[in-house]
Amino acid sequence: MNIVVEQKRWLSPIELETVYGFSKSAQAKMRMASNNSTLPYTKIGKKYIRYDRLLIDKWLELNQVQGVSND
């Protein structure tokens, strides 16, 4: 039996915290950053913030830090 779990594309700040582990205060700081650490988001009206899961995944890939090898 195959069970398909549908992932939501648009996440609220609480859902982003649950799925990706970014606290709401960290999200706020990353939204306000004016460099490559600016977290992509969409604002709906004056109070609703939503995160596009596809853009968050791409943002994480682009902001990877490679570890240094001690060979």
Side-chain angles (χ1 to χ4, degrees), residues 16-32:
L16 186 75
E17 182 174 18
T18 301
V19 174
Y20 290 92
F22 298 122
S23 69
K24 289 196 291 183
S25 63
Q27 292 173 39
K29 289 175 188 173
M30 289 188 285
R31 283 194 310 267
M32 300 306 151

Side-chain angles (χ1 to χ4, degrees), residues 39-50:
L39 190 64
Y41 70 98
T42 299
K43 192 164 187 180
I44 302 167
K46 293 186 178 186
K47 66 178 186 175
Y48 295 105
I49 292 174
R50 294 295 179 262

Side-chain angles (χ1 to χ4, degrees), residues 47-58:
K47 66 178 186 175
Y48 295 105
I49 292 174
R50 294 295 179 262
Y51 297 96
D52 183 339
R53 181 187 297 267
L54 301 175
L55 291 178
I56 297 298
D57 287 341
K58 185 171 203 77

